[in-house]
Structure formats: structure tokens, C-alpha cells
Amino acid sequence: MSQSTLDEEDLLGEAASEIRADVEENMAAARSELPSAEAIWAVDSENTLGVLNSLKSALDTGDAAESLRDARKWFMVGERADAFEDPDALEAELDEVAALIETVEEAQERVGELASTVPELRSDLEEANVGGADGDAETETEDADETEE
């Protein structure tokens, strides 16, 4: 083997190590951007809308999708260069992170929709005087007006 072949093998081995490190770092970055279980479970607010807005904020994935994209990019390069001992396991891990990001983003979207619906619903219920003391008080006032006439 010539000296240039050894240098190329060394460089290829070095590149493979760097690619593995890049995939792992980007995947770790994607995971770190995801909200913690505690952040989405424990919210502090005095009303439903505040709870929903807190939850929506807690469900922010930040740069997780971008970090995952970078991890996938380096994974593809590394896979073609045969840089991984078990590429199937690593790809499965990337898929798990992608599915988790998608689930969190969908949940955030649903919470956002609900947060915009709740004030409208409250307003509609107030206008319709459905349930509660307001509806009863108004009925009593109408009854009193009718008996005075």
C-alpha cells in the first residue's frame, strides 16, 4: 500500500468520525429543543385561555426541525460513505425524533385552534345568556317588569 492510500484511509476514517459526531450532535440538539414533559403538564394560569396559551408556548419546538434536518443530511452522507456501524438503528432513532417533533407540532396547532375558539365560545355563550346567574337574573328582571305593568 502506498503512503497516499494510507493517508486517504486515515482521512476517510476521520471524516466518518466527524460525520457520526455531527449526526449525534444534531440529533441531540433536536431533542433538546423539544419541550419537557413537565413543561407541558404543569401550567400556571387563572383561566382556561391562559392555560391554553401557556400550553401552546410550552409546545414550541424551537429549532428542533432544523437540527433534525441537519442530522438527516449528515446521516445520508455518512451512510453513503459507510461511516456507521449500525445505520438502521441510527435511522430508526432519527425517525423517532421526527415523529416526536411532528406530534408536538400537531399538538401545538390543536391547542392554538382551541385557544382561538374558547374566547369566541365564551362571547357566544354570554350573548345567548346560556346557564349561570346572568341568565337567571335577566329572566327575573323581565318577570318583574311584566308584573309591574
Side-chain angles (χ1 to χ4, degrees), residues 30-66:
R31 286 180 192 260
S32 73
E33 289 289 328
L34 294 172
S36 70
E38 184 62 28
I40 66 166
W41 192 253
V43 294
D44 185 28
S45 182
E46 296 193 19
N47 60 47
T48 303
L49 187 57
V51 168
L52 291 171
N53 284 330
S54 293
L55 180 56
K56 184 179 175 198
S57 294
L59 289 169
D60 183 19
T61 59
D63 292 331
E66 186 63 31

mmCIF file of all heavy atoms in Angstrom, residues 30-66:
data_model
loop_
_atom_site.group_PDB
_atom_site.id
_atom_site.type_symbol
_atom_site.label_atom_id
_atom_site.label_comp_id
_atom_site.label_asym_id
_atom_site.label_seq_id
_atom_site.Cartn_x
_atom_site.Cartn_y
_atom_site.Cartn_z
ATOM 1 N N ALA A 30 -31.756 18.516 18.389
ATOM 2 C CA ALA A 30 -33.190 18.415 18.077
ATOM 3 C C ALA A 30 -33.961 17.973 19.318
ATOM 4 O O ALA A 30 -35.000 18.538 19.652
ATOM 5 C CB ALA A 30 -33.420 17.434 16.931
ATOM 6 N N ARG A 31 -33.449 16.987 20.015
ATOM 7 C CA ARG A 31 -34.118 16.503 21.227
ATOM 8 C C ARG A 31 -34.154 17.591 22.307
ATOM 9 O O ARG A 31 -35.145 17.734 23.008
ATOM 10 C CB ARG A 31 -33.413 15.278 21.784
ATOM 11 C CG ARG A 31 -33.652 14.030 20.997
ATOM 12 C CD ARG A 31 -32.906 12.856 21.634
ATOM 13 N NE ARG A 31 -32.879 11.723 20.770
ATOM 14 C CZ ARG A 31 -33.687 10.682 20.875
ATOM 15 N NH1 ARG A 31 -34.583 10.649 21.815
ATOM 16 N NH2 ARG A 31 -33.592 9.679 20.034
ATOM 17 N N SER A 32 -33.080 18.343 22.424
ATOM 18 C CA SER A 32 -33.030 19.365 23.481
ATOM 19 C C SER A 32 -33.990 20.512 23.213
ATOM 20 O O SER A 32 -34.394 21.212 24.142
ATOM 21 C CB SER A 32 -31.602 19.890 23.659
ATOM 22 O OG SER A 32 -31.237 20.722 22.572
ATOM 23 N N GLU A 33 -34.369 20.731 21.964
ATOM 24 C CA GLU A 33 -35.314 21.790 21.613
ATOM 25 C C GLU A 33 -36.758 21.403 21.929
ATOM 26 O O GLU A 33 -37.625 22.267 22.018
ATOM 27 C CB GLU A 33 -35.203 22.138 20.127
ATOM 28 C CG GLU A 33 -33.937 22.859 19.756
ATOM 29 C CD GLU A 33 -33.900 24.286 20.268
ATOM 30 O OE1 GLU A 33 -34.956 24.929 20.360
ATOM 31 O OE2 GLU A 33 -32.800 24.759 20.578
ATOM 32 N N LEU A 34 -37.011 20.119 22.091
ATOM 33 C CA LEU A 34 -38.367 19.668 22.396
ATOM 34 C C LEU A 34 -38.732 20.054 23.819
ATOM 35 O O LEU A 34 -37.870 20.102 24.695
ATOM 36 C CB LEU A 34 -38.475 18.155 22.209
ATOM 37 C CG LEU A 34 -38.311 17.668 20.774
ATOM 38 C CD1 LEU A 34 -38.249 16.144 20.730
ATOM 39 C CD2 LEU A 34 -39.457 18.170 19.911
ATOM 40 N N PRO A 35 -40.011 20.307 24.059
ATOM 41 C CA PRO A 35 -40.417 20.675 25.424
ATOM 42 C C PRO A 35 -40.285 19.485 26.365
ATOM 43 O O PRO A 35 -40.387 18.333 25.943
ATOM 44 C CB PRO A 35 -41.884 21.077 25.252
ATOM 45 C CG PRO A 35 -42.336 20.411 24.008
ATOM 46 C CD PRO A 35 -41.127 20.292 23.128
ATOM 47 N N SER A 36 -40.061 19.784 27.627
ATOM 48 C CA SER A 36 -40.005 18.716 28.621
ATOM 49 C C SER A 36 -41.425 18.280 28.954
ATOM 50 O O SER A 36 -42.382 19.043 28.769
ATOM 51 C CB SER A 36 -39.295 19.201 29.885
ATOM 52 O OG SER A 36 -40.107 20.149 30.563
ATOM 53 N N ALA A 37 -41.554 17.074 29.448
ATOM 54 C CA ALA A 37 -42.867 16.569 29.837
ATOM 55 C C ALA A 37 -43.469 17.459 30.923
ATOM 56 O O ALA A 37 -44.668 17.754 30.915
ATOM 57 C CB ALA A 37 -42.746 15.129 30.320
ATOM 58 N N GLU A 38 -42.647 17.923 31.838
ATOM 59 C CA GLU A 38 -43.124 18.776 32.931
ATOM 60 C C GLU A 38 -43.619 20.129 32.400
ATOM 61 O O GLU A 38 -44.606 20.669 32.893
ATOM 62 C CB GLU A 38 -42.015 18.984 33.963
ATOM 63 C CG GLU A 38 -42.433 19.765 35.177
ATOM 64 C CD GLU A 38 -43.550 19.099 36.001
ATOM 65 O OE1 GLU A 38 -43.652 17.867 35.989
ATOM 66 O OE2 GLU A 38 -44.318 19.840 36.635
ATOM 67 N N ALA A 39 -42.948 20.655 31.380
ATOM 68 C CA ALA A 39 -43.327 21.966 30.847
ATOM 69 C C ALA A 39 -44.720 21.953 30.242
ATOM 70 O O ALA A 39 -45.433 22.961 30.313
ATOM 71 C CB ALA A 39 -42.315 22.428 29.799
ATOM 72 N N ILE A 40 -45.124 20.840 29.660
ATOM 73 C CA ILE A 40 -46.458 20.809 29.061
ATOM 74 C C ILE A 40 -47.510 20.313 30.041
ATOM 75 O O ILE A 40 -48.701 20.413 29.769
ATOM 76 C CB ILE A 40 -46.499 19.959 27.771
ATOM 77 C CG1 ILE A 40 -46.235 18.489 28.060
ATOM 78 C CG2 ILE A 40 -45.537 20.501 26.750
ATOM 79 C CD1 ILE A 40 -46.582 17.591 26.914
ATOM 80 N N TRP A 41 -47.089 19.788 31.169
ATOM 81 C CA TRP A 41 -48.054 19.264 32.132
ATOM 82 C C TRP A 41 -48.435 20.300 33.184
ATOM 83 O O TRP A 41 -49.589 20.400 33.557
ATOM 84 C CB TRP A 41 -47.490 18.011 32.797
ATOM 85 C CG TRP A 41 -48.526 17.267 33.567
ATOM 86 C CD1 TRP A 41 -48.655 17.196 34.912
ATOM 87 C CD2 TRP A 41 -49.612 16.508 33.029
ATOM 88 N NE1 TRP A 41 -49.736 16.441 35.250
ATOM 89 C CE2 TRP A 41 -50.352 15.999 34.102
ATOM 90 C CE3 TRP A 41 -50.036 16.211 31.741
ATOM 91 C CZ2 TRP A 41 -51.472 15.206 33.935
ATOM 92 C CZ3 TRP A 41 -51.155 15.424 31.574
ATOM 93 C CH2 TRP A 41 -51.852 14.937 32.664
ATOM 94 N N ALA A 42 -47.471 21.035 33.659
ATOM 95 C CA ALA A 42 -47.713 21.978 34.750
ATOM 96 C C ALA A 42 -47.727 23.402 34.212
ATOM 97 O O ALA A 42 -46.695 23.936 33.842
ATOM 98 C CB ALA A 42 -46.631 21.835 35.808
ATOM 99 N N VAL A 43 -48.914 23.974 34.124
ATOM 100 C CA VAL A 43 -49.046 25.366 33.705
ATOM 101 C C VAL A 43 -49.734 26.136 34.818
ATOM 102 O O VAL A 43 -50.520 25.585 35.578
ATOM 103 C CB VAL A 43 -49.823 25.517 32.372
ATOM 104 C CG1 VAL A 43 -49.047 24.908 31.231
ATOM 105 C CG2 VAL A 43 -51.194 24.907 32.462
ATOM 106 N N ASP A 44 -49.418 27.401 34.895
ATOM 107 C CA ASP A 44 -49.979 28.235 35.950
ATOM 108 C C ASP A 44 -50.769 29.359 35.309
ATOM 109 O O ASP A 44 -50.208 30.209 34.611
ATOM 110 C CB ASP A 44 -48.842 28.799 36.808
ATOM 111 C CG ASP A 44 -49.357 29.571 38.002
ATOM 112 O OD1 ASP A 44 -50.459 29.250 38.474
ATOM 113 O OD2 ASP A 44 -48.656 30.481 38.463
ATOM 114 N N SER A 45 -52.073 29.326 35.528
ATOM 115 C CA SER A 45 -52.919 30.374 34.978
ATOM 116 C C SER A 45 -54.220 30.421 35.755
ATOM 117 O O SER A 45 -54.601 29.462 36.409
ATOM 118 C CB SER A 45 -53.203 30.101 33.505
ATOM 119 O OG SER A 45 -53.987 31.146 32.984
ATOM 120 N N GLU A 46 -54.893 31.549 35.637
ATOM 121 C CA GLU A 46 -56.137 31.729 36.362
ATOM 122 C C GLU A 46 -57.369 31.451 35.514
ATOM 123 O O GLU A 46 -58.483 31.489 36.024
ATOM 124 C CB GLU A 46 -56.188 33.144 36.931
ATOM 125 C CG GLU A 46 -55.088 33.370 37.942
ATOM 126 C CD GLU A 46 -55.285 34.627 38.742
ATOM 127 O OE1 GLU A 46 -56.409 35.146 38.788
ATOM 128 O OE2 GLU A 46 -54.300 35.077 39.332
ATOM 129 N N ASN A 47 -57.181 31.196 34.215
ATOM 130 C CA ASN A 47 -58.339 30.901 33.383
ATOM 131 C C ASN A 47 -57.956 29.953 32.252
ATOM 132 O O ASN A 47 -56.781 29.701 32.000
ATOM 133 C CB ASN A 47 -58.970 32.188 32.832
ATOM 134 C CG ASN A 47 -58.014 32.984 31.986
ATOM 135 O OD1 ASN A 47 -57.339 32.443 31.115
ATOM 136 N ND2 ASN A 47 -57.942 34.283 32.227
ATOM 137 N N THR A 48 -58.953 29.458 31.578
ATOM 138 C CA THR A 48 -58.757 28.481 30.513
ATOM 139 C C THR A 48 -57.876 29.022 29.396
ATOM 140 O O THR A 48 -56.977 28.333 28.918
ATOM 141 C CB THR A 48 -60.124 28.053 29.942
ATOM 142 O OG1 THR A 48 -60.916 27.539 31.008
ATOM 143 C CG2 THR A 48 -59.973 27.009 28.870
ATOM 144 N N LEU A 49 -58.132 30.246 28.982
ATOM 145 C CA LEU A 49 -57.353 30.828 27.893
ATOM 146 C C LEU A 49 -55.877 30.945 28.282
ATOM 147 O O LEU A 49 -54.995 30.656 27.472
ATOM 148 C CB LEU A 49 -57.917 32.193 27.487
ATOM 149 C CG LEU A 49 -57.278 32.825 26.256
ATOM 150 C CD1 LEU A 49 -57.390 31.912 25.044
ATOM 151 C CD2 LEU A 49 -57.927 34.169 25.968
ATOM 152 N N GLY A 50 -55.619 31.326 29.521
ATOM 153 C CA GLY A 50 -54.237 31.409 29.993
ATOM 154 C C GLY A 50 -53.563 30.051 29.993
ATOM 155 O O GLY A 50 -52.391 29.922 29.614
ATOM 156 N N VAL A 51 -54.292 29.031 30.385
ATOM 157 C CA VAL A 51 -53.755 27.665 30.373
ATOM 158 C C VAL A 51 -53.424 27.259 28.938
ATOM 159 O O VAL A 51 -52.348 26.732 28.655
ATOM 160 C CB VAL A 51 -54.742 26.665 31.009
ATOM 161 C CG1 VAL A 51 -54.319 25.228 30.746
ATOM 162 C CG2 VAL A 51 -54.864 26.904 32.502
ATOM 163 N N LEU A 52 -54.347 27.510 28.027
ATOM 164 C CA LEU A 52 -54.120 27.134 26.630
ATOM 165 C C LEU A 52 -52.937 27.888 26.032
ATOM 166 O O LEU A 52 -52.120 27.302 25.319
ATOM 167 C CB LEU A 52 -55.389 27.378 25.807
ATOM 168 C CG LEU A 52 -56.553 26.439 26.121
ATOM 169 C CD1 LEU A 52 -57.815 26.909 25.403
ATOM 170 C CD2 LEU A 52 -56.214 25.012 25.768
ATOM 171 N N ASN A 53 -52.837 29.182 26.313
ATOM 172 C CA ASN A 53 -51.709 29.953 25.791
ATOM 173 C C ASN A 53 -50.385 29.485 26.392
ATOM 174 O O ASN A 53 -49.370 29.426 25.692
ATOM 175 C CB ASN A 53 -51.924 31.447 26.017
ATOM 176 C CG ASN A 53 -52.930 32.026 25.047
ATOM 177 O OD1 ASN A 53 -53.075 31.563 23.929
ATOM 178 N ND2 ASN A 53 -53.647 33.035 25.492
ATOM 179 N N SER A 54 -50.399 29.141 27.673
ATOM 180 C CA SER A 54 -49.186 28.612 28.306
ATOM 181 C C SER A 54 -48.796 27.286 27.682
ATOM 182 O O SER A 54 -47.620 27.034 27.413
ATOM 183 C CB SER A 54 -49.396 28.420 29.809
ATOM 184 O OG SER A 54 -49.547 29.649 30.453
ATOM 185 N N LEU A 55 -49.780 26.443 27.459
ATOM 186 C CA LEU A 55 -49.508 25.143 26.843
ATOM 187 C C LEU A 55 -48.988 25.311 25.422
ATOM 188 O O LEU A 55 -48.032 24.639 25.015
ATOM 189 C CB LEU A 55 -50.773 24.287 26.851
ATOM 190 C CG LEU A 55 -50.650 22.890 26.246
ATOM 191 C CD1 LEU A 55 -49.547 22.089 26.927
ATOM 192 C CD2 LEU A 55 -51.979 22.162 26.338
ATOM 193 N N LYS A 56 -49.592 26.219 24.679
ATOM 194 C CA LYS A 56 -49.131 26.467 23.310
ATOM 195 C C LYS A 56 -47.672 26.914 23.302
ATOM 196 O O LYS A 56 -46.867 26.443 22.496
ATOM 197 C CB LYS A 56 -50.008 27.526 22.632
ATOM 198 C CG LYS A 56 -49.649 27.767 21.190
ATOM 199 C CD LYS A 56 -50.560 28.802 20.565
ATOM 200 C CE LYS A 56 -50.074 29.095 19.158
ATOM 201 N NZ LYS A 56 -50.605 30.329 18.643
ATOM 202 N N SER A 57 -47.318 27.784 24.225
ATOM 203 C CA SER A 57 -45.920 28.235 24.329
ATOM 204 C C SER A 57 -45.004 27.086 24.744
ATOM 205 O O SER A 57 -43.892 26.954 24.231
ATOM 206 C CB SER A 57 -45.797 29.370 25.341
ATOM 207 O OG SER A 57 -46.470 30.501 24.872
ATOM 208 N N ALA A 58 -45.480 26.266 25.660
ATOM 209 C CA ALA A 58 -44.669 25.145 26.137
ATOM 210 C C ALA A 58 -44.429 24.122 25.026
ATOM 211 O O ALA A 58 -43.424 23.416 25.038
ATOM 212 C CB ALA A 58 -45.345 24.471 27.329
ATOM 213 N N LEU A 59 -45.318 24.050 24.060
ATOM 214 C CA LEU A 59 -45.198 23.083 22.975
ATOM 215 C C LEU A 59 -44.324 23.575 21.818
ATOM 216 O O LEU A 59 -44.226 22.907 20.791
ATOM 217 C CB LEU A 59 -46.589 22.717 22.449
ATOM 218 C CG LEU A 59 -47.437 21.869 23.391
ATOM 219 C CD1 LEU A 59 -48.876 21.801 22.894
ATOM 220 C CD2 LEU A 59 -46.845 20.484 23.551
ATOM 221 N N ASP A 60 -43.678 24.693 21.982
ATOM 222 C CA ASP A 60 -42.798 25.228 20.940
ATOM 223 C C ASP A 60 -41.598 24.308 20.766
ATOM 224 O O ASP A 60 -40.920 23.963 21.732
ATOM 225 C CB ASP A 60 -42.341 26.637 21.320
ATOM 226 C CG ASP A 60 -41.494 27.283 20.249
ATOM 227 O OD1 ASP A 60 -41.542 26.832 19.082
ATOM 228 O OD2 ASP A 60 -40.776 28.241 20.572
ATOM 229 N N THR A 61 -41.330 23.902 19.539
ATOM 230 C CA THR A 61 -40.205 23.003 19.253
ATOM 231 C C THR A 61 -38.931 23.744 18.867
ATOM 232 O O THR A 61 -37.912 23.110 18.604
ATOM 233 C CB THR A 61 -40.567 22.014 18.123
ATOM 234 O OG1 THR A 61 -40.912 22.749 16.946
ATOM 235 C CG2 THR A 61 -41.691 21.097 18.531
ATOM 236 N N GLY A 62 -38.986 25.054 18.842
ATOM 237 C CA GLY A 62 -37.782 25.834 18.550
ATOM 238 C C GLY A 62 -37.146 25.422 17.232
ATOM 239 O O GLY A 62 -37.805 25.329 16.206
ATOM 240 N N ASP A 63 -35.854 25.134 17.284
ATOM 241 C CA ASP A 63 -35.102 24.758 16.087
ATOM 242 C C ASP A 63 -34.969 23.249 15.941
ATOM 243 O O ASP A 63 -34.076 22.764 15.226
ATOM 244 C CB ASP A 63 -33.707 25.388 16.137
ATOM 245 C CG ASP A 63 -33.748 26.898 16.014
ATOM 246 O OD1 ASP A 63 -34.685 27.404 15.360
ATOM 247 O OD2 ASP A 63 -32.856 27.572 16.557
ATOM 248 N N ALA A 64 -35.836 22.484 16.588
ATOM 249 C CA ALA A 64 -35.723 21.023 16.550
ATOM 250 C C ALA A 64 -35.789 20.482 15.126
ATOM 251 O O ALA A 64 -34.999 19.615 14.748
ATOM 252 C CB ALA A 64 -36.812 20.375 17.404
ATOM 253 N N ALA A 65 -36.703 20.988 14.327
ATOM 254 C CA ALA A 65 -36.847 20.500 12.951
ATOM 255 C C ALA A 65 -35.591 20.800 12.132
ATOM 256 O O ALA A 65 -35.144 19.963 11.344
ATOM 257 C CB ALA A 65 -38.080 21.102 12.295
ATOM 258 N N GLU A 66 -35.025 21.972 12.327
ATOM 259 C CA GLU A 66 -33.796 22.338 11.596
ATOM 260 C C GLU A 66 -32.625 21.460 12.030
ATOM 261 O O GLU A 66 -31.833 21.003 11.206
ATOM 262 C CB GLU A 66 -33.478 23.809 11.801
ATOM 263 C CG GLU A 66 -32.312 24.305 10.968
ATOM 264 C CD GLU A 66 -32.549 24.230 9.461
ATOM 265 O OE1 GLU A 66 -33.694 24.356 9.019
ATOM 266 O OE2 GLU A 66 -31.569 24.031 8.721
#
